[in-house]
Amino acid sequence: MLDELRELYQEVILDHGKNPRNFRDVEDATSQAHGSNPLCGDQLVVYVKVGDDDIIQDVSFVGKGCAISMASASMMTELVRGKTIDGANHMFDHVHHMCTGEGEDVDVTEFGEDADRIGVLSGVREFPVRVKCATLAWHTLKAAMEGKEEASSEA
Amino acid sequence: MSDGATVTKDSTDIYDVERYRRDFPILSKPMNGKPLVFLDSAASAQKPRQVIDAMRYVYENEYANVHRGAYALSADTTTAYEGARTKVRDFLNAAHSREIIFTKNATESINLVANTFGRDSLKAGDEIIISTMEHHSNIVPWQMLRDQMGLVLKAVPITDDGEFMMAEYEKMLSSKTKLVAITHTSNALGTVTPAAEIVEKAHAVGAKVLLDGSQAVVHMPVDVQALDADFYVFTGHKLYGPSGVGVLYGKETLLDAMPPFMGGGEMIAQVTLEKSTWAALPNKFEAGTPMIAQAIGLGAAVDYVTEIGMDRIRAHEQDLLTYATQRLSAVEGLKILGTAPVKAAVISFTLGDIHPHDISSIIDRAGVACRAGHHCAQLVMDRFGVVGTTRASFGLYNTRAEADALAEALETAREFFG
Ligand SMILES: Cc1ncc(COP(=O)(O)O)c(C=O)c1O
């Protein structure tokens, strides 16, 4: 029992869950979106600042949620900063595929060292009811990049 | 689980929980490789073989539409369906079977009252009183009606223990109050409300009262005449019956005066193109083919709990409540929400700042099923300043050993997030 749980709640997740990084707003954000998981009432807002060169200069979030959703959001902000919108979208596709088994399998070589860090979230596959916790922040980021104001983990 | 049996009032009368557990096939199925510890009956209860068999029997032996065919089979089905109504009448001690309306669930029962009684006898400026302890199904229909008709909706607050604030209620009551809709037992906190007193005070200002008994009928004997409730609703699936059937009890004079809810077959006396006339009670409120097998299944569930005895079920569950409350209180960082002196066996709690979903995933691996979240009672969550809680709810088949299993699983959760 504890082994499976350790797969889900890896040290990195527990750490990010307790001490989320970039847990703040971005004053000069170019866009932001609100995400909610109607199942549990978890809520978060993701802020992004994208430069003229399409590069994500800053990204942050605020909100309330379980360890998985907080950790996923926190790790996401670290992972996508400095990436292009295209690059961030690829990462979204990969996370989505990895957690749900849906969509295209993404060639992870393009993520280099980041691939392992993203892989930490793959434990949710064994916990179907928790998949939405892991993907909420990513859906919200995607919504923000697309100029939408609302995202739902149902998306 | 030798400590599962508890002694009830009559000390010769042992509550044989192991025997009842064997009636529920699902309870012997493992969950995540562990024996299932099912502590979520407040969301929906498991079904005894007696209910499953009764429904199977209908389909295999006496199934046809009700109130329609002149042939024997249809007459048999009708007898069984109406038999279920009589069982519910006895269960609630209603004066007449025609005061028992079968609906889809408690939600539909409440919407029925809002859309018939509410629309017909309320007018702009009239007031409806609910409480902040209500399930969303006893809030939203009244909000919708308020917005459509220009009504005023007020909510009686609750104390830090989760008790209904009678003094505040008294202040809200006036000649403008036309309806009071209050839960008889809170699904989120377990609080049993002083329903008879609530009814009496409402009647004193001429208001009618709807009691939401969804969580009450499963834990204790209920007598709608003793309560003097005008409307009383509950849902079948929490009473060990099937989903898809609920009950609306209404006083005959009220139901008679109310317009129908939905139009269609079954609910009419005469139909011409110009106009239709309504069938007598209860059919007036049962448009279309009803949930035949489900109603019969609910009848079997009522028989089942009646045979055990609602007072014995209550005594058993009260023992579990006391025991589990002690066990859980000993878990470091655990805080129980809902500590009213009169409570049903429902324990909502937070554990440090661990999110309820994380708790739920961890204890699920130990085979323990608890609900995590806002329990369709966001006003309660707001009142206590939490996004959600974990809730353990106990039924007639739960044991002290299962409360131990929960407490141990929670210790594991603490270790993880410590
Ligand atoms: C107190 C209370 N009222 C009403 C309901 C609604 O029941 P249903 O969803 O079966 O209509 C519930 C069930 O969650 C409840 O606990």
Side-chain angles (χ1 to χ4, degrees), chain B residues 35-116:
Chain B
L36 169 61
V37 175
F38 187 74
L39 298 178
D40 196 19
S41 298
S44 202
Q46 300 300 344
K47 320 303 172 199
R49 200 177 295 285
Q50 287 80 345
V51 168
I52 301 167
D53 287 350
M55 294 178 75
R56 175 197 292 264
Y57 185 86
V58 185
Y59 287 126
E60 288 184 351
N61 299 285
E62 56 184 25
Y63 185 78
N65 211 331
V66 291
H67 302 304
R68 298 200 181 167
Y71 49 95
L73 191 59
S74 173
D76 285 349
T77 318
T78 306
T79 306
Y81 178 73
E82 290 305 322
R85 196 188 307 280
T86 309
K87 289 171 186 182
V88 172
R89 182 205 86 89
D90 293 344
F91 181 64
L92 293 178
N93 191 34
H96 309 285
S97 292
R98 53 186 179 276
E99 296 177 319
I100 304 297
I101 314 294
F102 285 128
T103 60
K104 185 172 72 175
N105 48 32
T107 304
E108 187 176 281
S109 299
I110 297 169
N111 277 276
L112 188 160
V113 175
N115 284 286
T116 58

Coordinates of all heavy atoms in Angstrom, one line a residue, chain B residues 35-116:
Chain B
P35 N -10.1 -5.6 2.8 CA -11.6 -5.7 3.1 C -12.2 -4.3 2.9 O -11.6 -3.3 3.4 CB -11.7 -6.2 4.5 CG -10.4 -6.7 4.9 CD -9.4 -6.1 4.0
L36 N -13.3 -4.2 2.3 CA -13.9 -2.9 2.1 C -14.4 -2.4 3.4 O -15.2 -3.0 4.1 CB -15.1 -3.0 1.1 CG -16.0 -1.8 1.0 CD1 -15.2 -0.6 0.5 CD2 -17.2 -2.1 0.0
V37 N -14.0 -1.2 3.8 CA -14.6 -0.5 4.9 C -15.4 0.7 4.4 O -14.8 1.7 4.0 CB -13.4 0.1 5.8 CG1 -14.0 0.9 7.0 CG2 -12.6 -1.1 6.4
F38 N -16.7 0.5 4.3 CA -17.5 1.5 3.6 C -18.1 2.5 4.6 O -19.0 2.2 5.4 CB -18.6 0.8 2.8 CG -19.4 1.7 2.0 CD1 -18.8 2.2 0.8 CD2 -20.7 2.2 2.3 CE1 -19.5 3.1 0.0 CE2 -21.4 3.1 1.5 CZ -20.8 3.5 0.4
L39 N -17.6 3.7 4.6 CA -18.0 4.7 5.5 C -18.6 5.9 4.7 O -18.3 7.1 5.1 CB -16.8 5.1 6.4 CG -16.3 4.0 7.3 CD1 -15.1 4.5 8.1 CD2 -17.4 3.5 8.2
D40 N -19.3 5.6 3.7 CA -19.9 6.7 2.9 C -21.4 6.5 2.6 O -21.9 6.8 1.5 CB -19.1 6.9 1.6 CG -19.4 8.2 0.9 OD1 -19.9 9.1 1.6 OD2 -19.2 8.3 -0.3
S41 N -22.1 5.9 3.6 CA -23.5 5.6 3.4 C -24.3 6.9 3.3 O -25.4 6.9 2.7 CB -24.1 4.8 4.5 OG -23.4 3.6 4.6
A42 N -23.8 8.0 3.8 CA -24.6 9.3 3.7 C -24.6 9.7 2.2 O -25.6 10.5 1.9 CB -23.9 10.4 4.5
A43 N -23.7 9.3 1.4 CA -23.7 9.7 0.0 C -24.7 8.7 -0.7 O -25.6 9.1 -1.5 CB -22.4 9.6 -0.6
S44 N -24.6 7.4 -0.4 CA -25.5 6.4 -0.9 C -25.2 5.2 -0.2 O -24.0 4.8 0.0 CB -25.3 6.2 -2.4 OG -26.5 5.7 -3.0
A45 N -26.2 4.5 0.3 CA -26.0 3.3 1.1 C -25.9 2.1 0.2 O -26.3 2.1 -0.9 CB -27.1 3.1 2.1
Q46 N -25.3 1.0 0.7 CA -25.2 -0.3 0.0 C -26.6 -1.0 0.1 O -27.4 -0.6 0.9 CB -24.1 -1.1 0.6 CG -22.7 -0.5 0.4 CD -22.3 -0.2 -1.0 OE1 -22.9 -0.7 -2.0 NE2 -21.4 0.7 -1.2
K47 N -26.8 -2.0 -0.8 CA -28.1 -2.6 -0.8 C -28.1 -4.0 -0.3 O -27.2 -4.8 -0.7 CB -28.6 -2.7 -2.3 CG -28.3 -1.4 -3.1 CD -28.8 -0.1 -2.5 CE -28.3 1.1 -3.3 NZ -28.4 2.3 -2.5
P48 N -29.0 -4.4 0.5 CA -29.1 -5.8 1.0 C -29.7 -6.7 -0.1 O -30.4 -6.2 -1.0 CB -30.0 -5.7 2.2 CG -30.9 -4.5 1.9 CD -30.1 -3.5 1.1
R49 N -29.4 -7.9 0.0 CA -29.9 -8.9 -0.9 C -31.4 -8.8 -1.0 O -32.0 -9.0 -2.1 CB -29.5 -10.3 -0.4 CG -29.5 -11.4 -1.5 CD -29.0 -12.7 -0.9 NE -27.6 -12.7 -0.5 CZ -26.6 -12.7 -1.3 NH1 -26.8 -12.8 -2.6 NH2 -25.3 -12.7 -0.9
Q50 N -32.1 -8.6 0.1 CA -33.5 -8.5 0.1 C -34.1 -7.5 -0.9 O -35.1 -7.7 -1.6 CB -34.1 -8.1 1.5 CG -33.9 -9.3 2.5 CD -32.5 -9.4 3.1 OE1 -31.5 -8.9 2.6 NE2 -32.4 -10.1 4.2
V51 N -33.3 -6.3 -1.1 CA -33.7 -5.3 -2.0 C -33.4 -5.8 -3.5 O -34.2 -5.6 -4.4 CB -33.0 -4.0 -1.7 CG1 -33.2 -3.0 -2.9 CG2 -33.6 -3.4 -0.4
I52 N -32.2 -6.3 -3.6 CA -31.8 -6.7 -4.9 C -32.7 -7.8 -5.4 O -33.2 -7.8 -6.6 CB -30.3 -7.3 -4.9 CG1 -29.4 -6.2 -4.4 CG2 -29.9 -7.8 -6.2 CD1 -28.0 -6.6 -3.9
D53 N -33.1 -8.8 -4.5 CA -34.0 -9.9 -4.9 C -35.4 -9.4 -5.3 O -36.0 -9.9 -6.2 CB -34.0 -10.9 -3.8 CG -32.8 -11.7 -3.7 OD1 -31.9 -11.6 -4.6 OD2 -32.6 -12.5 -2.7
A54 N -35.8 -8.4 -4.5 CA -37.2 -7.9 -4.7 C -37.3 -7.3 -6.1 O -38.3 -7.5 -6.9 CB -37.6 -6.9 -3.7
M55 N -36.2 -6.6 -6.5 CA -36.2 -6.0 -7.9 C -36.1 -7.0 -8.9 O -36.8 -6.9 -10.0 CB -35.1 -4.9 -7.9 CG -35.4 -3.8 -7.0 SD -34.1 -2.5 -7.0 CE -34.5 -1.7 -8.6
R56 N -35.3 -8.0 -8.7 CA -35.1 -9.1 -9.7 C -36.5 -9.8 -9.8 O -36.9 -10.2 -10.9 CB -34.0 -10.0 -9.2 CG -33.9 -11.3 -10.1 CD -33.1 -12.3 -9.4 NE -31.8 -11.9 -9.2 CZ -30.8 -12.3 -10.1 NH1 -31.1 -13.1 -11.1 NH2 -29.6 -11.9 -9.9
Y57 N -37.1 -10.0 -8.7 CA -38.4 -10.7 -8.7 C -39.4 -10.0 -9.5 O -40.2 -10.6 -10.3 CB -39.0 -10.9 -7.2 CG -40.2 -11.7 -7.2 CD1 -40.1 -13.1 -7.1 CD2 -41.5 -11.1 -7.3 CE1 -41.3 -13.9 -7.1 CE2 -42.6 -11.9 -7.3 CZ -42.5 -13.3 -7.2 OH -43.6 -14.1 -7.2
V58 N -39.5 -8.7 -9.4 CA -40.4 -7.9 -10.3 C -40.2 -8.3 -11.7 O -41.1 -8.6 -12.5 CB -40.3 -6.4 -10.1 CG1 -41.3 -5.7 -10.9 CG2 -40.2 -6.0 -8.7
Y59 N -38.9 -8.1 -12.1 CA -38.7 -8.3 -13.6 C -38.9 -9.7 -14.0 O -39.2 -9.9 -15.2 CB -37.2 -7.8 -13.9 CG -37.1 -6.3 -13.8 CD1 -36.1 -5.7 -13.0 CD2 -37.9 -5.5 -14.6 CE1 -36.0 -4.3 -13.0 CE2 -37.8 -4.1 -14.6 CZ -36.8 -3.5 -13.8 OH -36.7 -2.2 -13.7
E60 N -38.6 -10.6 -13.1 CA -38.7 -12.0 -13.6 C -40.2 -12.6 -13.5 O -40.5 -13.5 -14.1 CB -37.8 -12.9 -12.7 CG -36.4 -12.7 -13.1 CD -35.4 -13.6 -12.4 OE1 -35.8 -14.3 -11.5 OE2 -34.2 -13.6 -12.8
N61 N -41.0 -11.9 -12.6 CA -42.3 -12.6 -12.3 C -43.5 -11.7 -12.5 O -44.6 -12.2 -12.8 CB -42.3 -13.1 -10.9 CG -41.3 -14.2 -10.7 OD1 -41.4 -15.3 -11.2 ND2 -40.2 -13.8 -10.1
E62 N -43.4 -10.4 -12.3 CA -44.6 -9.6 -12.2 C -44.4 -8.2 -12.9 O -45.0 -7.3 -12.4 CB -45.2 -9.5 -10.8 CG -44.2 -8.9 -9.8 CD -44.8 -8.9 -8.4 OE1 -45.7 -9.7 -8.1 OE2 -44.4 -8.0 -7.6
Y63 N -43.7 -8.2 -14.0 CA -43.5 -6.9 -14.6 C -44.4 -6.5 -15.7 O -44.6 -7.3 -16.7 CB -42.0 -6.7 -15.1 CG -41.8 -5.3 -15.6 CD1 -41.6 -4.3 -14.6 CD2 -42.0 -5.0 -16.9 CE1 -41.5 -3.0 -15.1 CE2 -41.9 -3.7 -17.3 CZ -41.7 -2.7 -16.4 OH -41.6 -1.4 -16.8
A64 N -45.1 -5.4 -15.6 CA -45.9 -4.8 -16.7 C -46.1 -3.4 -16.2 O -45.6 -3.0 -15.2 CB -47.3 -5.5 -16.8
N65 N -46.7 -2.5 -17.1 CA -46.9 -1.2 -16.6 C -48.0 -1.1 -15.6 O -48.8 -2.1 -15.5 CB -47.2 -0.2 -17.8 CG -46.7 1.2 -17.6 OD1 -46.6 1.6 -16.4 ND2 -46.4 1.9 -18.6
V66 N -47.9 -0.1 -14.8 CA -48.9 0.0 -13.7 C -50.1 0.8 -14.0 O -50.0 1.7 -14.9 CB -48.2 0.6 -12.4 CG1 -47.2 -0.4 -11.8 CG2 -47.6 1.9 -12.7
H67 N -51.2 0.6 -13.4 CA -52.4 1.4 -13.5 C -52.9 1.4 -15.0 O -53.6 2.4 -15.4 CB -52.2 2.8 -13.1 CG -51.8 3.0 -11.7 ND1 -52.5 2.4 -10.6 CD2 -50.7 3.6 -11.1 CE1 -51.9 2.7 -9.5 NE2 -50.8 3.4 -9.8
R68 N -52.6 0.4 -15.8 CA -53.0 0.6 -17.2 C -53.7 -0.7 -17.7 O -54.8 -0.6 -18.2 CB -51.7 0.8 -18.1 CG -51.2 2.2 -17.6 CD -50.3 2.8 -18.6 NE -49.8 4.0 -17.9 CZ -48.8 4.8 -18.3 NH1 -48.2 4.5 -19.4 NH2 -48.5 5.9 -17.7
G69 N -53.0 -1.8 -17.7 CA -53.6 -3.0 -18.3 C -54.7 -3.6 -17.5 O -54.7 -3.5 -16.3
A70 N -55.7 -4.2 -18.2 CA -56.7 -4.8 -17.5 C -56.4 -6.3 -17.3 O -57.2 -7.1 -16.8 CB -58.0 -4.7 -18.3
Y71 N -55.2 -6.7 -17.6 CA -54.8 -8.1 -17.5 C -54.1 -8.4 -16.2 O -53.6 -7.4 -15.5 CB -53.9 -8.5 -18.7 CG -52.8 -7.5 -18.9 CD1 -51.5 -7.8 -18.4 CD2 -52.9 -6.4 -19.7 CE1 -50.5 -6.9 -18.7 CE2 -51.9 -5.5 -20.0 CZ -50.6 -5.8 -19.4 OH -49.6 -4.9 -19.6
A72 N -54.0 -9.6 -15.9 CA -53.6 -10.0 -14.5 C -52.2 -9.5 -14.2 O -51.9 -9.0 -13.1 CB -53.6 -11.5 -14.4
L73 N -51.3 -9.6 -15.2 CA -49.9 -9.2 -14.9 C -49.8 -7.8 -14.5 O -49.1 -7.4 -13.5 CB -49.0 -9.5 -16.1 CG -47.5 -9.4 -15.9 CD1 -47.1 -10.4 -14.9 CD2 -46.8 -9.7 -17.3
S74 N -50.5 -6.9 -15.2 CA -50.4 -5.5 -14.9 C -51.1 -5.3 -13.5 O -50.6 -4.4 -12.7 CB -51.2 -4.7 -15.9 OG -51.3 -3.3 -15.5
A75 N -52.1 -6.0 -13.2 CA -52.7 -5.9 -11.9 C -51.7 -6.3 -10.8 O -51.7 -5.6 -9.7 CB -54.0 -6.7 -11.8
D76 N -50.9 -7.3 -11.0 CA -50.0 -7.8 -10.0 C -48.9 -6.7 -9.8 O -48.5 -6.4 -8.7 CB -49.2 -9.0 -10.5 CG -50.1 -10.3 -10.4 OD1 -51.2 -10.2 -9.8 OD2 -49.7 -11.3 -11.0
T77 N -48.4 -6.1 -10.9 CA -47.4 -5.1 -10.8 C -48.0 -3.9 -10.0 O -47.3 -3.3 -9.1 CB -47.0 -4.6 -12.2 OG1 -46.8 -5.7 -13.0 CG2 -45.7 -3.8 -12.1
T78 N -49.2 -3.5 -10.3 CA -49.9 -2.4 -9.7 C -50.0 -2.7 -8.2 O -49.7 -1.8 -7.3 CB -51.2 -2.1 -10.3 OG1 -51.1 -2.0 -11.7 CG2 -51.9 -0.9 -9.7
T79 N -50.4 -3.9 -7.8 CA -50.5 -4.2 -6.4 C -49.1 -4.1 -5.7 O -49.0 -3.6 -4.6 CB -51.0 -5.7 -6.3 OG1 -52.2 -5.8 -7.0 CG2 -51.2 -6.1 -4.8
A80 N -48.1 -4.6 -6.4 CA -46.7 -4.5 -5.7 C -46.3 -3.0 -5.6 O -45.8 -2.6 -4.6 CB -45.7 -5.3 -6.6
Y81 N -46.6 -2.2 -6.6 CA -46.2 -0.8 -6.6 C -46.9 -0.1 -5.5 O -46.4 0.7 -4.7 CB -46.4 -0.2 -8.0 CG -46.1 1.2 -8.2 CD1 -44.8 1.7 -8.2 CD2 -47.2 2.2 -8.3 CE1 -44.5 3.0 -8.4 CE2 -46.9 3.5 -8.5 CZ -45.6 4.0 -8.5 OH -45.3 5.3 -8.7
E82 N -48.3 -0.3 -5.5 CA -49.1 0.4 -4.5 C -48.7 -0.2 -3.1 O -48.9 0.5 -2.1 CB -50.5 0.2 -4.8 CG -51.0 1.1 -6.0 CD -50.6 2.5 -5.9 OE1 -50.7 3.1 -4.8 OE2 -50.2 3.1 -6.9
G83 N -48.3 -1.5 -3.0 CA -47.9 -2.0 -1.8 C -46.7 -1.3 -1.2 O -46.6 -1.1 0.0
A84 N -45.8 -0.9 -2.1 CA -44.6 -0.2 -1.7 C -45.0 1.2 -1.1 O -44.5 1.6 -0.1 CB -43.7 0.1 -2.9
R85 N -46.0 1.8 -1.7 CA -46.5 3.1 -1.2 C -47.1 2.9 0.3 O -46.8 3.7 1.1 CB -47.6 3.6 -2.1 CG -48.0 5.1 -1.9 CD -49.2 5.5 -2.7 NE -49.2 5.2 -4.1 CZ -48.5 6.0 -5.0 NH1 -47.8 7.0 -4.6 NH2 -48.6 5.6 -6.3
T86 N -47.8 1.8 0.5 CA -48.3 1.5 1.8 C -47.2 1.3 2.8 O -47.3 1.8 4.0 CB -49.2 0.3 1.8 OG1 -50.2 0.5 0.7 CG2 -50.0 0.1 3.1
K87 N -46.2 0.7 2.4 CA -45.0 0.4 3.3 C -44.4 1.8 3.7 O -44.0 2.0 4.8 CB -44.0 -0.4 2.6 CG -44.4 -1.9 2.5 CD -43.5 -2.7 1.6 CE -44.2 -4.1 1.4 NZ -43.3 -5.0 0.7
V88 N -44.2 2.7 2.7 CA -43.7 4.0 3.0 C -44.6 4.8 3.9 O -44.1 5.5 4.8 CB -43.3 4.8 1.7 CG1 -42.9 6.2 2.0 CG2 -42.3 4.0 0.9
R89 N -45.9 4.6 3.7 CA -46.9 5.3 4.6 C -46.7 4.9 6.0 O -46.6 5.7 6.9 CB -48.3 5.0 4.1 CG -49.4 5.7 4.9 CD -50.7 4.9 4.9 NE -50.7 3.9 6.0 CZ -51.1 4.1 7.2 NH1 -51.6 5.3 7.5 NH2 -51.1 3.1 8.1
D90 N -46.6 3.6 6.2 CA -46.4 3.0 7.5 C -45.1 3.5 8.1 O -45.0 3.8 9.3 CB -46.4 1.5 7.5 CG -47.8 1.0 7.2 OD1 -48.8 1.7 7.2 OD2 -47.9 -0.2 6.8
F91 N -44.0 3.5 7.3 CA -42.7 3.8 7.7 C -42.6 5.3 8.3 O -42.0 5.6 9.3 CB -41.7 3.7 6.5 CG -40.3 4.0 6.8 CD1 -39.6 3.2 7.7 CD2 -39.7 5.0 6.2 CE1 -38.2 3.5 7.9 CE2 -38.3 5.3 6.4 CZ -37.6 4.5 7.3
L92 N -43.4 6.2 7.6 CA -43.4 7.6 8.0 C -44.6 7.9 8.9 O -44.7 9.0 9.4 CB -43.5 8.5 6.8 CG -42.3 8.5 5.8 CD1 -42.6 9.5 4.7 CD2 -41.0 9.0 6.5
N93 N -45.4 6.9 9.2 CA -46.7 7.1 9.9 C -47.5 8.2 9.3 O -48.0 9.1 10.0 CB -46.5 7.3 11.4 CG -47.8 7.2 12.1 OD1 -48.7 6.5 11.7 ND2 -47.9 8.0 13.2
A94 N -47.6 8.2 8.0 CA -48.5 9.2 7.3 C -50.0 8.7 7.5 O -50.2 7.6 7.8 CB -48.2 9.3 5.8
A95 N -50.9 9.7 7.5 CA -52.3 9.3 7.7 C -52.9 8.5 6.6 O -53.7 7.6 6.8 CB -53.1 10.6 7.9
H96 N -52.5 8.8 5.3 CA -53.0 8.0 4.2 C -51.9 7.7 3.2 O -51.0 8.5 3.0 CB -54.0 8.9 3.4 CG -55.1 9.5 4.3 ND1 -56.1 8.7 4.9 CD2 -55.3 10.7 4.8 CE1 -56.9 9.5 5.6 NE2 -56.4 10.7 5.6
S97 N -52.1 6.6 2.4 CA -51.2 6.3 1.4 C -51.2 7.3 0.3 O -50.2 7.6 -0.4 CB -51.6 4.9 0.7 OG -51.4 3.9 1.6
R98 N -52.3 8.0 0.1 CA -52.4 9.0 -1.0 C -51.6 10.2 -0.7 O -51.4 11.1 -1.6 CB -53.8 9.3 -1.4 CG -54.7 9.8 -0.2 CD -56.2 9.9 -0.7 NE -57.0 10.4 0.5 CZ -57.5 9.5 1.4 NH1 -57.3 8.2 1.2 NH2 -58.2 10.0 2.4
E99 N -51.1 10.3 0.5 CA -50.2 11.4 0.8 C -48.7 11.1 0.5 O -47.8 11.9 0.7 CB -50.3 11.7 2.3 CG -51.7 12.2 2.7 CD -51.8 12.5 4.2 OE1 -51.3 11.7 5.0 OE2 -52.4 13.5 4.6
I100 N -48.5 9.9 0.0 CA -47.1 9.5 -0.4 C -47.0 9.6 -1.9 O -47.6 8.8 -2.6 CB -46.8 8.1 0.1 CG1 -47.0 7.9 1.6 CG2 -45.4 7.6 -0.4 CD1 -46.1 8.7 2.4
I101 N -46.1 10.5 -2.4 CA -45.9 10.6 -3.8 C -44.5 10.1 -4.1 O -43.5 10.4 -3.5 CB -45.9 12.1 -4.2 CG1 -47.0 12.9 -3.6 CG2 -45.8 12.3 -5.8 CD1 -48.4 12.5 -4.1
F102 N -44.4 9.2 -5.1 CA -43.1 8.7 -5.6 C -42.5 9.7 -6.6 O -43.2 10.1 -7.5 CB -43.2 7.3 -6.2 CG -43.4 6.2 -5.2 CD1 -44.4 5.3 -5.3 CD2 -42.5 6.1 -4.1 CE1 -44.6 4.3 -4.4 CE2 -42.7 5.1 -3.1 CZ -43.7 4.2 -3.3
T103 N -41.2 10.0 -6.3 CA -40.5 10.9 -7.2 C -39.2 10.2 -7.6 O -39.0 9.1 -7.3 CB -40.2 12.2 -6.5 OG1 -39.4 11.9 -5.4 CG2 -41.4 13.0 -6.1
K104 N -38.4 11.0 -8.3 CA -37.1 10.4 -8.7 C -36.1 10.3 -7.6 O -35.3 9.4 -7.4 CB -36.5 11.3 -9.9 CG -35.3 10.7 -10.5 CD -34.9 11.6 -11.7 CE -34.4 12.9 -11.3 NZ -33.9 13.7 -12.5
N105 N -36.1 11.4 -6.7 CA -35.2 11.5 -5.6 C -35.6 12.6 -4.7 O -36.6 13.3 -5.0 CB -33.7 11.7 -6.1 CG -33.6 12.8 -7.1 OD1 -34.4 13.7 -7.1 ND2 -32.7 12.6 -8.0
A106 N -34.9 12.9 -3.7 CA -35.3 14.0 -2.8 C -35.2 15.4 -3.5 O -36.1 16.2 -3.3 CB -34.3 14.1 -1.6
T107 N -34.3 15.5 -4.4 CA -34.2 16.7 -5.2 C -35.4 17.0 -6.0 O -35.9 18.1 -6.0 CB -33.0 16.6 -6.2 OG1 -31.8 16.3 -5.4 CG2 -32.7 17.9 -7.0
E108 N -36.0 16.0 -6.6 CA -37.2 16.2 -7.4 C -38.4 16.5 -6.4 O -39.2 17.3 -6.8 CB -37.5 14.9 -8.2 CG -38.7 15.2 -9.1 CD -39.0 14.0 -10.1 OE1 -38.3 13.9 -11.1 OE2 -39.9 13.2 -9.8
S109 N -38.4 15.8 -5.3 CA -39.5 16.1 -4.3 C -39.5 17.6 -3.9 O -40.5 18.2 -3.9 CB -39.3 15.3 -3.1 OG -39.3 13.9 -3.4
I110 N -38.3 18.1 -3.7 CA -38.2 19.5 -3.3 C -38.6 20.5 -4.4 O -39.4 21.4 -4.3 CB -36.8 19.9 -2.7 CG1 -36.5 19.1 -1.5 CG2 -36.7 21.4 -2.4 CD1 -35.1 19.1 -1.0
N111 N -38.1 20.1 -5.6 CA -38.5 20.9 -6.8 C -40.0 20.9 -7.1 O -40.6 21.8 -7.6 CB -37.7 20.5 -8.0 CG -36.3 21.1 -8.1 OD1 -36.1 22.2 -8.5 ND2 -35.3 20.4 -7.5
L112 N -40.6 19.7 -6.8 CA -42.0 19.6 -7.0 C -42.7 20.6 -6.1 O -43.6 21.3 -6.6 CB -42.4 18.2 -6.7 CG -43.9 17.7 -7.0 CD1 -43.9 16.2 -7.1 CD2 -44.9 18.2 -6.0
V113 N -42.3 20.6 -4.9 CA -43.0 21.5 -3.9 C -42.8 23.0 -4.3 O -43.7 23.8 -4.3 CB -42.6 21.3 -2.5 CG1 -43.2 22.3 -1.5 CG2 -43.0 19.9 -2.0
A114 N -41.5 23.3 -4.7 CA -41.2 24.7 -5.1 C -42.1 25.1 -6.3 O -42.6 26.2 -6.4 CB -39.7 24.8 -5.5
N115 N -42.2 24.2 -7.3 CA -42.9 24.6 -8.5 C -44.4 24.5 -8.5 O -45.1 25.0 -9.4 CB -42.4 23.7 -9.7 CG -41.0 24.2 -10.1 OD1 -40.9 25.2 -10.8 ND2 -40.0 23.5 -9.7
T116 N -45.0 23.8 -7.5 CA -46.4 23.7 -7.4 C -46.9 24.6 -6.2 O -47.5 25.6 -6.4 CB -46.8 22.2 -7.2 OG1 -46.3 21.7 -6.0 CG2 -46.4 21.4 -8.4

